[in-house]
Amino acid sequence: VKAVVVYDLSRFGRLDSIEGAEHKQVLRQAGIYLHACTEGKIDWRDSNARIIDAVHSETNNKFSVDLGRRTLGGKLLAFNAGDFFGFVVPYGLARKMIADDGSEKVIPRSLKFSKPKTWKCQIVLGDEEEMEIVRWMFKEFDTRDVGYRVLASKLNEDGVKSPTGKMWHAKVI
């Protein structure tokens, strides 16, 4: 291998110049350079190329951090406003719908429900059995040296249905 080819430098990574240095050092020691179609060749043996790469790394990192902050901020605003478009109610929780007239109705996690635009929504505690399973998972994870796979295996072994009704997997946990 003589080169790593990417469309642009942000495709190689969005780590800042210090965080990304370790990976670049490995490539440099192996005599491998980076070629970005939009920026050209970055050969970390050349001081000018390292300066250009550092500027790009910091710019790409700032973009990534800012994008993450804006995305999370928007999601939090929507969540706090009760707008859960595309939001899956987590296992052990439910939705409390508040109608225009102030009446409230709790909708179980697994029940499909389309919220009228003017209604408000809050996430509340849900099914007691699911909440107990969630408490158990947190306790096991906190007090024993176990990972998600161990928790999933134990739940499957005990015949506990996952949120989808299928087998538990580490990703579901």
Side-chain angles (χ1 to χ4, degrees), residues 80-157:
N80 289 331
D83 182 7
F84 302 110
F85 177 72
F87 175 77
V88 176
V89 179
Y91 190 79
L93 300 177
R95 293 171 289 174
K96 178 169 69 172
M97 298 299 183
I98 306 165
D100 297 332
D101 64 4
S103 62
E104 299 177 355
K105 179 174 177 124
V106 175
I107 309 295
R109 173 190 63 79
S110 58
L111 188 66
K112 297 268 187 212
F113 181 84
S114 295
K115 175 183 85 68
K117 284 189 178 237
T118 58
W119 287 23
K120 296 201 183 309
C121 180
Q122 295 176 346
I123 298 297
V124 296
L125 297 178
D127 179 76
E128 186 58 44
E129 286 183 32
E130 287 186 3
M131 289 188 325
E132 197 53 43
I133 291 165
V134 172
R135 287 184 192 105
W136 173 83
M137 285 191 277
F138 272 96
K139 183 179 177 194
E140 289 291 297
F141 191 82
D142 185 45
T143 60
R144 294 180 53 214
D145 188 20
V146 297
Y148 302 138
R149 289 183 183 169
V150 171
L151 294 175
S153 293
K154 178 67 173 148
L155 290 167
N156 289 328
E157 184 181 301

Side-chain angles (χ1 to χ4, degrees), residues 45-63:
R45 294 175 296 185
D46 176 68
S47 62
N48 290 331
R50 287 194 307 272
I51 291 169
I52 291 168
D53 178 57
V55 170
H56 283 293
S57 294
E58 292 299 330
T59 302
N60 291 332
N61 178 258
K62 181 172 179 4
F63 172 80

